[in-house]
Amino acid sequence: MSHKPYKGAAGGWGALASTAKHIMKSENVAKNIRNLLKTNQDHGFDCPGCAWGEKGNKATFRFCENGAKAVNWEASAKRVDSQFFAQHSVAWLAKQSDYFLEYQGRLAEPVVYQPGSDHYQAISWDEAFQLIAKHLHQLESPDQAEFYTSGRASNEAAFLYQLFVRRYGSNNFPDCSNMCHEASGHALNASIGVGKGTVTIEDFELADAIFLFGQNPGTNHPRMLETLAHATQRGAKVVAFNNLKERGLERFANPQKPREMLSGGASPTTSHYYTPKLGGDMAAVRGVVKILLDRHHQALLHGESVFDQAFIEQHTEGLASYLIEVEQTHWDFIEQQSGLTKAQLESVADIYQQSERVIIAWAMGITQHKHSVATINEITNLQLLFGQVGKDGAGLCPVRGHSNVQGDRTMGINEKPSAELLASIEQVFGFTPPRKPGHNVVQALEAMLKGSSKVFIGLGGNILAAAPDTQLVEQALANCELTVSIATKLNRTHVNPGKYSLILPCLGRTDVDMQASGPQKVTVEDSFSMVHASQGLVDESRHNMRSEPAIIAGMANAVLGASPVEWLAYIDNYDRIRDDIERTIPGFEHFNQRLQHPGGFYLCNSARKRLWNTASAKAQFISHALPEDVVPASIRELSDNRIFILQTLRSHDQYNTTIYGFEDRYRGIYNERKVLLLNAQDIADLGMKDGDWVDIESLWPDQQQRKVQAFRLIAYDIPRGNAAAYFPEANPLVPLASKGDFSDTPTSKSVAVVLTPCSAPPIELR
């Protein structure tokens, strides 16, 4: 392991070198170069990475470094088939690293794990579907099955999946949204009547100020860096609030600009950078509002107004009670909880007040806390005070992770479906879907732990590596009578099977999906509600893979027969799926025709039009008191040792649970993932030094010990009392029962931990 602070800009030659390395590692060089030239292009395929949108202008390259990794990873020439599983037992595979498992290559044929054998064996598709039907039919209730979804599923697959499951009789749709942006959807629905952002990619060209909360675009959505760099170049203020100093939020060298590359230059991505304490963003926003409220009161004495009074009077309600809450919040509490001074927040208020058009964007640094919904309501309140919703160059922007996590929700992947969706399904398909709310991720895992849910089917994803409390999730999967994984590559969930287990290999975004009517395209929805087509290039016909829609249709046909539709007929031509989406989901009128437009089409939402789908038809100021403490007193009482607040995060060689390598270049960390980032003074106060090994134990009031061992300390620019470690390695520390108010999202950004010297430090070879 080595740690050497990175001096370069994000992007630049480092990004090009990393991209080249991963192209070579794929063992599929020529095809992958062709793939990259078609990534995010019209008549090409959508990047399987993040959900950042594309501007309408033409560009030869529309991929970033991490997008290139995702494409190369999926288009590997290596294959995992029944012969591979004959050579490697499940017990042996379970001891290997996450990187090792996925590096073995693409899954090439369906396999089954059965009691009495420690090996997966080949199974035909029809036999696999019949095994699923047998287990689902044996359940006492459809609600004893859990139907998980990853955000990489297409709109067509998601629509078929929710239709199949609701016809089967359940709303149990735990999905990756439950673990990331659930708080965004809940908060925005309550405040403005729609659970999506209100901006387009073009709005970033018009904004006078862009505020970024809790996100690291350099690693998680690198295409955003070009947008931010361009904003700063044209004079917009870009203000970052992030717990860590991240290179992508400082400067960026665009690999697509030869002059910048050859000169060694770089563009700033932010104009101002603040590092609040973990969980302190709500207090920071409250402080900004408090300053602006004082200025508003002063302006009123002169017959003027700081706030947008016309917007407030016409479009909102609840302001009076919110302003009372603001006035009653004391400055010493704001400064203590945010970790920022009043003077710092006054400078932020200056930028906000002087900007006619403001975008506020956020990601999981905001959404994975107990008070995440309250924080997003607070952000929305600030925007409503100034009428910064529903006008060009301004608005609210939750930055999604998975490439179609937003589209899945649009298609009905929701454990709490709207009455309108259910009524539409009943009208179009002639059956009455279940009304009772289903399980989210936490509820599903709790039901599996208790044994009340007996079947788990995963449409993509890797729930064991994605979910908190790893040991409990392992037990939950082991309790199941059947686990089913639809996937492109081997992962941690597959080697922790239920009593029976199926791995069903699916086509990826890069692959040609050939059906009876010819090659098919699917669609996705990005963070800006743009819907566009995706069509792969790589021919996988020699392998026994199927598309996600074909796998879902095969399951549905085996379980339900040809009811309420002829499931298998959908697969001949995906236009038929889109025709039924058009009939069922608002906003998809003339779906197939509109897909012919270059770049796809925009699903405008009501809030952007200043139409508020709330009970009163007005946007809501929603009041919350600041939390008494990010770590409640009941947790602090569990230890006499010093308590740190830990967040889990990605490395740069990682996308969600997929580990591409062991290089976290922008943080200067190489060849090690079991690391703990800590303030240098905190390390000294512990009587330790940079490079020492520690054990980490989290605190929670139950009988479960949550401890990970042998993590290496790295001195980093992070507020005192805070810590950071990579997931999934640190996921065992996140209690399943520690979840966000209103959202049930695991609190992976606010885990109370104590540190002790490592009980068994690794032996280092010199």
Side-chain angles (χ1 to χ4, degrees):
M1 181 268 186
S2 63
H3 177 221
K4 184 178 180 181
Y6 188 67
K7 301 298 185 183
W13 292 108
L16 288 179
S18 177
T19 298
K21 180 181 74 175
H22 284 274
I23 290 175
M24 298 300 295
K25 193 161 66 171
S26 72
E27 302 179 14
N28 214 357
V29 175
K31 287 184 178 179
N32 275 351
I33 291 174
R34 185 181 65 164
N35 286 342
L36 290 174
L37 293 174
K38 284 293 186 179
T39 302
N40 297 319
Q41 301 281 0
D42 292 329
H43 309 296
F45 60 86
D46 194 78
C47 178
C50 77
W52 191 251
E54 295 294 337
K55 290 190 290 187
N57 59 303
K58 296 192 177 204
T60 303
F61 305 108
R62 282 184 166 176
F63 60 88
C64 64
E65 175 188 350
N66 275 10
K69 292 175 186 176
V71 169
N72 290 319
W73 199 247
E74 193 166 271
S76 167
K78 301 169 71 174
R79 294 293 175 263
V80 174
D81 54 19
S82 57
Q83 185 177 0
F84 171 89
F85 287 112
Q87 296 171 352
H88 303 295
S89 70
V90 171
W92 184 85
L93 289 169
K95 296 176 183 177
Q96 309 311 306
S97 70
D98 296 84
Y99 173 81
F100 173 89
L101 294 175
E102 292 218 18
Y103 188 61
Q104 302 314 301
R106 289 287 299 275
L107 296 162
E109 63 178 320
V111 291
V112 61
Y113 174 92
Q114 304 178 75
S117 171
D118 195 27
H119 292 262
Y120 279 99
Q121 299 172 333
I123 187 173
S124 71
W125 282 103
D126 286 345
E127 289 172 328
F129 294 147
Q130 289 304 318
L131 182 63
I132 294 169
K134 174 185 173 183
H135 279 272
L136 291 179
H137 289 155
Q138 286 176 345
L139 299 178
E140 297 174 5
S141 163
D143 288 331
Q144 291 183 324
E146 307 292 347
F147 299 89
Y148 180 73
T149 316
S150 160
R152 283 177 62 172
S154 66
N155 288 328
E156 290 74 13
F159 180 79
L160 286 190
Y161 198 52
Q162 65 84 28
L163 187 64
F164 156 49
V165 174
R166 291 198 164 103
R167 180 64 183 92
Y168 173 63
S170 180
N171 283 316
N172 283 355
F173 285 111
D175 78 317
C176 61
S177 285
N178 298 149
M179 294 185 284
C180 57
H181 269 288
E182 193 69 44
S184 299
H186 185 99
L188 292 175
N189 266 308
S191 291
I192 61 173
V194 63
K196 299 182 181 183
T198 65
V199 303
T200 66
I201 189 74
E202 289 77 17
D203 286 320
F204 283 84
E205 299 291 317
L206 303 173
D208 301 303
I210 302 165
F211 287 77
L212 310 173
F213 284 88
Q215 60 185 124
N216 176 21
T219 289
N220 299 336
H221 27 270
R223 283 182 292 151
M224 187 182 188
L225 297 180
E226 182 179 5
T227 302
L228 297 178
H230 184 261
T232 60
Q233 288 167 359
R234 64 176 179 78
K237 303 296 185 184
V238 181
V239 184
F241 292 80
N242 197 69
N243 181 247
L244 301 170
K245 276 295 182 74
E246 301 284 17
R247 183 48 42 88
L249 288 171
E250 294 176 318
R251 57 188 189 274
F252 169 61
N254 192 338
Q256 298 187 46
K257 290 187 175 181
R259 182 177 298 177
E260 197 164 77
M261 293 291 288
L262 292 173
S263 68
S267 302
T269 49
T270 54
S271 55
H272 298 74
Y273 201 130
Y274 301 93
T275 52
K277 293 179 181 178
L278 280 171
D281 301 274
M282 181 181 177
V285 178
R286 176 66 54 87
V288 172
V289 173
K290 193 171 180 70
I291 292 164
L292 294 170
L293 177 58
D294 288 343
R295 295 177 183 177
H296 178 70
H297 287 326
Q298 293 298 316
L300 289 177
L301 297 175
H302 303 283
E304 300 175 349
S305 174
V306 169
F307 299 155
D308 188 336
Q309 293 291 145
F311 175 88
I312 291 169
E313 291 171 8
Q314 181 180 353
H315 291 286
T316 74
E317 64 180 13
L319 176 63
S321 59
Y322 171 62
L323 294 184
I324 291 172
E325 185 69 52
V326 173
E327 289 175 333
Q328 292 178 345
T329 309
H330 297 293
W331 265 111
D332 56 352
F333 191 34
I334 289 172
E335 290 185 313
Q336 179 272 324
Q337 192 165 108
S338 70
L340 302 175
T341 65
K342 184 178 181 181
Q344 287 176 304
L345 295 176
E346 284 177 334
S347 68
V348 175
D350 290 343
I351 295 169
Y352 191 97
Q353 186 179 354
Q354 293 162 10
S355 301
E356 182 181 349
R357 302 172 187 272
V358 179
I359 292 172
I360 300 184
W362 66 90
M364 288 193 289
I366 294 297
T367 64
Q368 292 183 324
H369 296 276
K370 189 175 190 298
H371 59 292
S372 290
V373 168
T375 302
I376 298 165
N377 288 146
E378 191 76 13
I379 288 170
T380 307
N381 290 343
L382 172 58
Q383 291 288 74
L384 293 177
L385 284 170
F386 288 81
Q388 298 286 2
V389 179
K391 70 178 182 181
D392 292 342
L396 298 157
C397 182
V399 180
R400 311 287 180 171
H402 266 319
S403 60
N404 199 40
V405 66
Q406 187 160 296
D408 284 357
R409 279 297 167 90
T410 302
M411 292 296 108
I413 299 295
N414 193 334
E415 77 279 3
K416 296 176 182 175
S418 68
E420 292 78 11
L421 173 65
L422 298 180
S424 182
I425 290 172
E426 185 166 6
Q427 179 181 358
V428 172
F429 295 100
F431 72 90
T432 302
R435 259 62 182 180
K436 183 177 73 172
H439 292 158
N440 59 32
V441 165
V442 171
Q443 293 164 340
L445 292 171
E446 289 172 343
M448 291 157 63
L449 278 166
K450 291 188 297 186
S452 55
S453 285
K454 303 176 185 296
V455 173
F456 173 86
I457 300 178
L459 176 59
N462 178 7
I463 193 169
L464 180 53
D469 231 338
T470 307
Q471 289 181 322
L472 292 186
V473 180
E474 288 176 353
Q475 186 59 54
L477 291 168
N479 286 353
C480 289
E481 296 297 323
L482 173 68
T483 56
V484 180
S485 294
I486 301 167
T488 59
K489 289 195 145 193
L490 189 64
N491 66 44
R492 179 66 52 198
T493 301
H494 306 155
V495 296
N496 285 268
K499 296 179 180 66
Y500 286 84
S501 184
L502 288 166
I503 304 176
L504 304 180
C506 66
L507 297 174
R509 293 273 176 85
T510 60
D511 301 327
V512 174
D513 183 357
M514 183 64 68
Q515 303 296 343
S517 64
Q520 303 298 307
K521 58 179 176 287
V522 294
T523 60
V524 298
E525 178 185 350
D526 65 25
S527 280
F528 306 112
S529 298
M530 288 295 298
V531 177
H532 41 91
S534 176
Q535 189 167 354
L537 303 170
V538 179
D539 182 5
E540 293 288 358
S541 58
R542 67 189 183 281
H543 299 293
N544 198 6
M545 308 170 185
R546 292 191 181 182
S547 72
E548 287 180 332
I551 294 171
I552 295 163
M555 288 194 298
N557 187 67
V559 175
L560 302 171
S563 171
V565 295
E566 295 183 22
W567 300 99
L568 300 183
Y570 271 134
I571 306 310
D572 292 344
N573 188 334
Y574 294 177
D575 284 355
R576 297 173 183 169
I577 307 175
R578 288 184 282 273
D579 286 341
D580 277 350
I581 292 173
E582 177 182 333
R583 297 167 65 201
T584 310
I585 309 292
F588 286 85
E589 296 79 12
H590 310 294
F591 192 178
N592 281 304
Q593 294 91 324
R594 290 161 78 192
L595 276 184
Q596 305 308 313
H597 186 274
F601 61 91
Y602 176 52
L603 286 176
C604 189
N605 64 56
S606 53
R608 185 173 177 86
K609 299 177 182 178
R610 294 190 169 177
L611 301 173
W612 319 103
N613 291 331
T614 61
S616 65
K618 288 196 171 185
Q620 302 294 303
F621 286 97
I622 299 178
S623 304
H624 299 275
L626 295 183
E628 292 184 8
D629 193 338
V630 175
V631 177
S634 59
I635 303 297
R636 292 194 180 275
E637 292 169 357
L638 297 176
S639 177
D640 294 329
N641 294 332
R642 183 177 178 189
I643 294 173
F644 292 87
I645 303 174
L646 170 76
Q647 66 167 318
T648 66
L649 41 68
R650 299 172 181 166
S651 77
H652 192 62
D653 255 358
Q654 174 178 1
Y655 193 77
N656 290 343
T657 61
T658 300
I659 313 299
Y660 301 125
F662 297 89
E663 179 181 283
D664 196 356
R665 188 171 72 253
Y666 296 155
R667 298 188 184 112
I669 301 169
Y670 302 89
N671 302 318
E672 180 60 79
R673 289 188 53 83
K674 293 180 67 176
V675 296
L676 183 70
L677 310 186
L678 210 62
N679 185 283
Q681 188 58 54
D682 283 337
I683 294 175
D685 289 350
L686 291 169
M688 299 181 184
K689 60 182 184 300
D690 183 58
D692 281 353
W693 299 90
V694 294
D695 295 340
I696 314 169
E697 185 170 4
S698 62
L699 303 174
W700 192 252
D702 61 11
Q703 302 304 310
Q704 181 86 11
Q705 185 186 50
R706 297 175 176 87
K707 187 173 185 178
V708 294
Q709 297 176 305
F711 275 59
R712 192 162 197 166
L713 288 175
I714 292 181
Y716 205 81
D717 192 347
I718 184 173
R720 296 200 62 186
N722 290 174
Y726 301 137
F727 71 84
E729 288 81 2
N731 283 0
L733 298 169
V734 185
L736 184 63
S738 181
K739 53 195 178 184
D741 296 335
F742 310 109
S743 69
D744 278 2
T745 298
T747 59
S748 299
K749 297 295 187 289
S750 53
V751 184
V753 300
V754 294
L755 311 178
T756 54
C758 182
S759 54
I763 298 174
E764 297 186 77
L765 300 177
R766 300 287 183 182

